[in-house]
C-alpha cells in the first residue's frame, strides 16, 4: 500500500508543471553542453537550469471541493433521519413533548419522501440546509440536553422543569418545519399558476 502511494506521488510529480518546466530548462543546459558553452561545469549548468525552471513554474492548481448536489445531499439526509428515528425510539419522553416530536418527525418524513416530493425539496437549497441542520443537530441536541438536565434535576430538585424547555424547543422546530412545508407548497402553487398563464397566453396567440 505504501509502495503504491509512493509510486503514485512519483508519477504525479513527473506529470507536474514544475517538472515539465524544469526539464525544458534542463534540455537547454544539455544543448549548451553539446555546443561547448557549459564546459566542464555542464552538470551544474544543467541542474541549475532545471531548478530555475521548476522554481519559476506556476504552482499546481488544486481543485476546490465540489459540494454535493441537492438530490445527493437528500440521500445522506434520509440516512441520518433513519438513525434519528432509531435514536428517539429508544428514549423515554413525557406525553406532551413526545407528541410534538412525533408530529415533527412526520413532517420531516413527508418532505423526504422519495419521488416528486423530494424533487421539489431538492430545488430549494435553503430548505435542504434547514432540514439537514434540524435532523443532524437540532433534534438530537434537544433530546440529549433534556435527558442530561433531567438527570441532574433528580439529584438536585427545584428550578424550572426540563420538560418546559423541551416542549418549547420542539415547538419551535415544528413551526420551522411547517414554514418549510408551506414554502414548498407555495413553490408548487407558483408552478401551477405559471402553467395556467402559459396556457392562457397560448390560447390568445
Amino acid at each position: 500500500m505504501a509502495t503504491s502511494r509512493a509510486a503514485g506521488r512519483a508519477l504525479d510529480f513527473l506529470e507536474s508543471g514544475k517538472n515539465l518546466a524544469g526539464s525544458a530548462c534542463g534540455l537547454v543546459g544539455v544543448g549548451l553542453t553539446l555546443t561547448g558553452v557549459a564546459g566542464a561545469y555542464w552538470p551544474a549548468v544543467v541542474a541549475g537550469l532545471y531548478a530555475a525552471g521548476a522554481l519559476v513554474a506556476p504552482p499546481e492548481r488544486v481543485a476546490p471541493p465540489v459540494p454535493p448536489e441537492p438530490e445527493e445531499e437528500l440521500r445522506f439526509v434520509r440516512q441520518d433521519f433513519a438513525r434519528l428515528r432509531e435514536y428517539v425510539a429508544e428514549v423515554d419522553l413525557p406525553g406532551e413533548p413526545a407528541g410534538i416530536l412525533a408530529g415533527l418527525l412526520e413532517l420531516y418524513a413527508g418532505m423526504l419522501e422519495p419521488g416528486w416530493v423530494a424533487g421539489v425539496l431538492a430545488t430549494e437549497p435553503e430548505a435542504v440546509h434547514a432540514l439537514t441542520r434540524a435532523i443532524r443537530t437540532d433534534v438530537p441536541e434537544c433530546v440529549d440536553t433534556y435527558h442530561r438536565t433531567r438527570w441532574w434535576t433528580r439529584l438536585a430538585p427545584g428550578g424550572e422543569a426540563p420538560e418546559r424547555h423541551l416542549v418549547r424547543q420542539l415547538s419551535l422546530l415544528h413551526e420551522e418545519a411547517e414554514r418549510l412545508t408551506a414554502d414548498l407548497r407555495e413553490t408548487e402553487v407558483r408552478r401551477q399558476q405559471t402553467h395556467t398563464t402559459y396556457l392562457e397566453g397560448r390560447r390568445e396567440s
Side-chain angles (χ1 to χ4, degrees), residues 125-138:
E126 292 185 4
V128 173
H129 172 72
L131 185 60
T132 302
R133 179 182 56 198
I135 290 174
R136 292 177 177 172
T137 305
D138 295 335

Side-chain angles (χ1 to χ4, degrees), residues 130-202:
L131 185 60
T132 302
R133 179 182 56 198
I135 290 174
R136 292 177 177 172
T137 305
D138 295 335
V139 175
E141 182 71 10
C142 291
V143 176
D144 184 59
T145 54
Y146 162 74
H147 277 286
R148 291 171 180 268
T149 307
R150 186 179 65 169
W151 188 86
W152 287 109
T153 302
R154 288 173 177 172
L155 294 181
E160 192 173 15
E163 289 81 1
R164 293 188 58 186
H165 280 287
L166 180 61
V167 167
R168 181 57 179 156
Q169 291 167 355
L170 294 176
S171 297
L172 290 171
L173 289 173
H174 197 280
E175 292 173 5
E176 180 185 61
E178 288 179 330
R179 288 194 300 271
L180 288 177
T181 55
D183 291 342
L184 295 174
R185 174 185 178 275
E186 185 61 28
T187 298
E188 289 297 275
V189 169
R190 289 196 300 269
R191 179 184 175 189
Q192 185 183 40
Q193 292 172 343
T194 299
H195 191 59
T196 300
T197 302
Y198 162 72
L199 292 176
E200 291 175 344
R202 192 172 69 180

